[in-house]
């Protein structure tokens, strides 16, 4: 027995083709597709391309899908290829039972029923009874070519008209019910008969990725409610697992068009007519995880474009929340937002493609749009309010499963928060180029004797010294605030002190050590302050008499040891981007300081492994420590 087409479609959709083929030949991303040397013939110049659902070699002509590849590359039979891919995709191959055979026959019949209904609706649109619907579509700016391409039609006003028309083709009312075109007048009273699902509506065929009609949406003329109605769930149609315009957008994305997700059917049609051939829309529901998976099969970074009203803002927030646990380095999103209550359809009717293109060009990566969505309307004047925001941003980043990507999102989000809330830094006066850019060690850095490696203990002592410097010299806090928040400090007193100091900084009128320690004591953190500033093992940079430059150099010394070279490189890249975008003096100072710390690493002044404590330098000795 032949396998159900729906099962094979789902199996192909669940199989990442570049991952499967990448086991046999090395592939590299090339725009929207992948490229490599053909595994079927010997070639030195790559001519083998892998797309979202098929491969093609321009050298030998090899072409096919995931099943074809396994059969050709490994000599597997069709059933063997199906069994293997199904096992990898977590699917069960349907058994050849009479029930399955009957269900597939019904599905084939339903496709035929829906195709006949679409033809009937299209005919009616151009009859006198459909004149009002055709005038409505033309008034909305649609050409006859676009109307035909999307199969738009008219349901008719008369109840039972569709059943009467299709009876001549051998289609019975029970088939129309199964296809979602008719329904019982009263589910509790079968004798009451059937009624049409759609009447007095402009009809929009909903198609699967292969272009087969699987249901309809209908729009009422005038101001009646509901404005749009979609067909019910059937064996062919599942609202959460399809997209309007998917078949045409699939072709558009293959040809290089940006994949756009909009809110309405008319938005999709208007965008395609204007040349934006990658547009799709959800089927009368909010965007679902299943629909996102479909979208990512066509493009690694689709653009979600929402209407410029309150509902559009809520839809954007829901989509971002849905996407976070599904993100990976290979797939993300962009968000484009219209303004002034516009939607793509109205904007295109007013200004044409030139009016919409700037919206597409201004689409923000999810990492940038997410900050705006999470912080919109939230106050940040008090320490408590800023802490709530910080926790909210960190929680959003933690929902991303890939740890590296999650960490990068966290840093990006917190960078934005610090940029908005940091205090302006006014240097005390000119000073010469700071350590470690000159290769000097600040006076007072401890030089403990070599001992058995205790990495947690070493990290705790480094964190203690770093915090003690700030407790004695809180004037440094505005300059180092952002960098301080990026550190992964030991749990307990270290993190509590950091949070308390930053909260105090936000509201403090004078940055005075006595005021800071007094505030911390009132907050019940006197013991933590005493622990951090105890004399044993404390560097001279944390002494109250240390000069501001000595304290600042010491702080950056311990920051570099705690941060590590890889993270410092990331910090430097972000600071350089910020400097290039804003020419902010704070960003320039940050770049200079981070380059200095990295130079110290590379010159051997730091222990890169962070497992043996500070490396002795020419100017550090036991005499440099306090106590």
């Amino acid at each position: 027995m032949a396998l159900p087409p729906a099962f094979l479609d789902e199996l192909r959709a669940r199989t990442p083709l570049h991952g499967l083929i990448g086991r046999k030949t090395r592939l590299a991303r090339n725009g929207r597709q992948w490229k490599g040397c053909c595994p079927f013939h010997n070639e030195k110049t790559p001519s083998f391309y892998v797309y979202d659902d098929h491969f093609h070699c321009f050298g030998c002509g090899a072409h096919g899908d995931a099943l074809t590849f396994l059969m050709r590359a490994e000599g597997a039979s069709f059933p063997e290829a199906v069994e293997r891919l199904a096992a990898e995709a977590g699917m069960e191959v349907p058994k050849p039972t009479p029930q399955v055979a009957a269900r597939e026959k019904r599905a084939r019949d339903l496709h035929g029923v829906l195709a006949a209904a679409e033809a009937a609706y299209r005919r009616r649109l151009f009859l006198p009874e459909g004149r009002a619907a055709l005038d409505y579509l033309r008034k909305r700016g649609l050409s006859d070519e676009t109307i035909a391409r999307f199969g738009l039609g008219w349901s008719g006003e008369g109840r039972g008209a569709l059943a009467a028309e299709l009876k001549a083709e051998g289609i019975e009312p029970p088939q129309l019910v199964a296809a979602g075109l008719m329904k019982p007048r009263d589910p509790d009273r079968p004798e009451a008969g059937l009624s049409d699902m759609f009447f007095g509506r402009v009809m929009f065929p909903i198609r699967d990725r292969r272009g087969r009609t699987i249901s309809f949406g209908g729009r009422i003329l005038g101001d009646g409610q509901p404005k749009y109605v979609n067909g019910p769930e059937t064996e062919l149609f599942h609202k959460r697992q399809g997209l309007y315009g998917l078949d045409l957008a699939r072709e558009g994305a293959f040809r290089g068009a940006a994949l756009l997700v909009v809110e309405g059917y008319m938005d999709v049609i208007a965008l395609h007519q204007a040349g934006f051939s990658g547009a799709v829309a959800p089927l009368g529901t909010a965007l679902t995880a299943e629909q996102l998976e479909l979208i990512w099969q066509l493009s690694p970074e689709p653009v979600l474009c929402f209407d410029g009203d309150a509902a559009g803002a809520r839809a954007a927030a829901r989509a971002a929340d849905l996407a976070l646990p599904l993100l990976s380095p290979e797939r993300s999103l962009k968000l484009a937002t219209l303004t002034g209550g516009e939607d793509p359809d109205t904007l295109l009717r007013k200004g044409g493609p030139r009016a919409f293109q700037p919206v597409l060009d201004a689409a923000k990566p999810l990492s940038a749009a997410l900050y705006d969505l999470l912080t919109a309307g939230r106050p940040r004047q008090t320490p408590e309010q800023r802490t709530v925001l910080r926790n909210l941003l960190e929680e959003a980043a933690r929902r991303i499963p890939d740890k590296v990507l999650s960490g990068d999102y966290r840093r990006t989000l917190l960078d934005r928060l610090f940029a908005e809330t940091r205090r302006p830094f006014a240097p005390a006066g000119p000073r010469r180029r700071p350590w470690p850019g000159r290769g000097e060690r600040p006076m007072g850095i401890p030089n403990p004797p070599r001992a058995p490696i205790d990495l947690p203990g070493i990290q705790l002592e480094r964190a203690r010294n770093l915090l003690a410097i700030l407790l004695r010299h809180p004037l440094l806090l505005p300059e180092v605030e952002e960098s301080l928040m990026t550190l992964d400090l030991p749990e307990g007193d270290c993190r509590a002190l950091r949070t308390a100091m930053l909260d105090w900084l936000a509201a403090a009128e004078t940055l005075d050590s006595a005021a800071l320690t007094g505030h911390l004591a009132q907050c019940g953190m006197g013991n933590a302050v005493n622990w951090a500033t105890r004399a044993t093992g404390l560097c001279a940079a944390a002494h109250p008499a240390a000069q501001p430059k000595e304290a600042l150099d010491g702080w950056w010394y311990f920051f570099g040891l705690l941060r590590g070279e890889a993270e410092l490189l990331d910090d430097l890249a972000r600071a350089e981007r910020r400097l290039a975008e804003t020419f902010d003096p704070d960003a320039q100072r940050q770049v200079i300081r981070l380059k200095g710390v990295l130079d110290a690493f590379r010159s051997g002044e730091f222990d890169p492994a962070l497992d043996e404590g500070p490396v002795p330098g020419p100017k550090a000795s036991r005499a440099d420590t306090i106590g």
Side-chain angles (χ1 to χ4, degrees):
M1 185 196 82
L3 289 169
F7 166 78
L8 294 176
D9 286 346
E10 179 70 12
L11 181 60
R12 294 182 183 102
R14 288 199 191 183
T15 303
L17 193 53
H18 73 271
L20 175 68
I21 296 176
R23 303 172 193 171
K24 296 292 184 182
T25 187
R26 185 174 181 179
L27 299 174
R29 184 170 286 282
N30 186 326
R32 296 178 181 270
Q33 58 273 338
W34 299 77
K35 183 180 180 181
C37 290
C38 180
F40 304 125
H41 78 284
N42 188 20
E43 66 175 1
K44 296 182 179 179
T45 302
S47 61
F48 183 82
Y49 287 79
V50 180
Y51 305 92
D52 66 301
D53 58 356
H54 72 281
F55 64 86
H56 183 81
C57 178
F58 290 91
C60 68
H63 183 92
D65 59 13
L67 294 167
T68 308
F69 182 82
L70 275 187
M71 294 167 65
R72 183 160 184 170
E74 300 186 3
S77 65
F78 180 77
E80 290 170 341
V82 170
E83 288 283 354
R84 176 173 161 185
L85 292 184
E88 292 184 3
M91 297 175 65
E92 185 176 348
V93 179
K95 304 300 181 186
T97 64
Q99 292 80 8
V100 171
R103 186 166 61 249
E104 287 310 308
K105 182 177 185 302
R106 286 198 304 273
R108 288 193 296 272
D109 291 344
L110 289 183
H111 280 301
V113 169
L114 289 161
E118 179 182 340
Y121 292 146
R122 294 174 71 168
R123 283 195 300 271
R124 288 181 187 171
L125 181 66
F126 291 92
L127 294 176
E129 64 173 294
R131 183 70 189 188
L134 183 60
D135 288 345
Y136 165 79
L137 293 173
R138 288 174 173 167
K139 186 178 179 181
R140 295 289 296 263
L142 302 188
S143 66
D144 286 355
E145 180 184 357
T146 297
I147 292 171
R149 188 181 185 202
F150 282 87
L152 306 184
W154 172 245
S155 67
E157 296 284 0
R159 298 174 185 268
L162 181 65
E165 183 172 347
L166 297 186
K167 187 174 181 62
E169 300 184 36
I171 297 174
E172 299 296 327
Q175 292 175 285
L176 297 176
V177 172
L181 297 170
M182 297 192 78
K183 61 182 178 180
R185 296 182 189 276
D186 186 344
D188 299 325
R189 297 175 54 244
E191 68 276 8
L194 303 174
S195 66
D196 289 0
M197 181 67 66
F198 304 99
F199 54 88
R201 291 181 180 269
V202 178
M203 299 300 290
F204 298 79
I206 300 170
R207 297 163 176 161
D208 63 13
R209 62 189 292 133
R210 294 169 62 182
R212 299 173 299 184
T213 299
I214 55 176
S215 188
F216 291 90
R219 189 198 192 283
I220 198 167
L221 292 181
D223 298 325
Q225 293 295 328
K227 183 183 292 186
Y228 280 93
V229 170
N230 283 329
E233 298 278 314
T234 67
E235 290 189 16
L236 298 182
F237 179 57
H238 307 283
K239 293 179 184 178
R240 295 179 58 86
Q241 299 175 12
L243 291 161
Y244 184 70
L246 178 62
D247 57 321
L248 299 177
R250 181 169 172 248
E251 179 184 350
F254 174 75
R255 300 184 182 280
L259 190 68
L260 287 163
V261 184
V262 292
E263 295 188 59
Y265 293 178
M266 287 301 299
D267 295 327
V268 171
I269 297 172
L271 283 165
H272 277 265
Q273 180 170 276
F276 301 94
S277 58
V280 296
L283 301 172
T285 65
L287 194 64
T288 67
E290 295 91 339
Q291 290 165 344
L292 268 179
E293 294 289 349
L294 273 176
I295 292 163
W296 275 321
Q297 289 174 18
L298 303 184
S299 170
E301 195 174 36
V303 179
L304 309 189
C305 182
F306 299 100
D307 295 351
D309 53 17
R314 291 193 295 271
R318 285 194 301 266
D321 182 69
L322 174 70
L324 285 175
L326 305 175
L327 296 181
S328 74
E330 290 78 30
R331 59 190 198 181
S332 186
L333 299 171
K334 286 186 175 181
L335 272 71
T337 304
L338 295 160
T339 58
E342 295 279 10
D343 58 43
D345 177 35
T346 59
L347 186 63
L348 286 166
R349 276 189 281 155
K350 289 178 181 177
R354 287 186 297 180
F356 185 78
Q357 187 62 49
V359 174
L360 184 57
D361 293 340
K364 296 180 181 179
L366 180 59
S367 57
L370 183 62
Y371 180 87
D372 297 329
L373 293 171
L374 292 176
T375 62
R378 293 181 179 271
R380 61 203 77 182
Q381 285 74 35
T382 68
E384 293 81 4
Q385 291 167 347
R386 286 188 291 274
T387 299
V388 169
L389 268 182
R390 191 158 63 231
N391 292 339
L392 184 66
L393 297 173
E394 290 182 332
E395 174 59 29
R398 281 195 292 270
R399 295 184 60 212
I400 300 173
D402 185 275
K403 297 303 182 186
V404 175
L405 185 61
S406 174
D408 201 38
Y409 261 72
R410 177 183 178 275
R411 288 189 294 270
T412 299
L413 293 171
L414 291 182
D415 282 350
R416 286 277 304 275
L417 179 63
F418 299 146
E420 288 187 2
T421 61
R422 69 176 183 269
R423 294 166 64 101
F425 173 69
R431 58 176 185 252
R432 58 197 185 110
R433 188 181 178 192
W435 178 92
R438 301 192 314 277
E440 298 177 7
R441 183 187 302 273
M443 183 178 295
I445 299 303
N447 183 20
R450 295 281 176 166
I453 295 172
D454 174 17
L455 181 56
I458 290 171
Q459 293 293 78
L460 183 61
E461 277 300 290
R462 291 170 176 168
R464 184 176 76 88
N465 273 274
L466 176 138
L467 294 169
I469 293 170
L470 296 177
L471 287 167
R472 294 303 186 219
H473 302 277
L475 280 168
L476 305 182
L477 277 167
E479 180 175 1
V480 304
E481 178 187 8
E482 295 183 31
S483 298
L484 176 61
M485 274 305 302
T486 64
L487 285 175
D488 187 15
L489 294 177
E491 296 279 358
D493 285 344
C494 291
R495 294 193 179 186
L497 279 172
R498 172 176 62 184
T499 300
M501 282 193 289
L502 290 175
D503 289 344
W504 171 82
L505 171 67
E509 294 182 2
T510 59
L511 303 184
D512 175 74
S513 179
L516 172 57
T517 54
H519 169 80
L520 295 175
Q522 290 177 0
C523 295
M525 303 193 66
N527 290 336
V529 172
N530 292 336
W531 164 78
T533 57
R534 74 180 191 274
T536 305
L538 199 64
C539 66
H543 194 280
Q547 294 298 308
K549 177 190 176 303
E550 181 184 1
L552 186 62
D553 288 351
W555 192 90
W556 282 104
Y557 174 83
F558 287 106
F559 173 84
L561 289 172
L562 288 163
R563 190 72 170 139
E565 186 174 9
E567 296 288 353
L568 286 170
L569 285 168
D570 289 343
D571 294 344
L572 177 60
R574 282 192 301 278
E576 288 176 332
R577 286 197 301 269
R578 180 178 151 205
L579 177 60
E581 293 168 0
T582 66
F583 299 102
D584 185 357
D586 286 347
Q588 184 178 28
R589 278 190 290 271
Q590 187 83 340
V591 168
I592 293 171
R593 184 62 78 174
L594 290 170
K595 284 184 176 179
V597 175
L598 281 165
D599 288 343
F601 262 110
R602 291 161 177 163
S603 67
E605 208 162 24
F606 288 152
D607 176 7
L610 298 183
D611 60 0
E612 295 181 355
V615 177
K619 297 186 180 182
S621 69
R622 295 291 293 177
D624 292 328
T625 61
I626 299 174

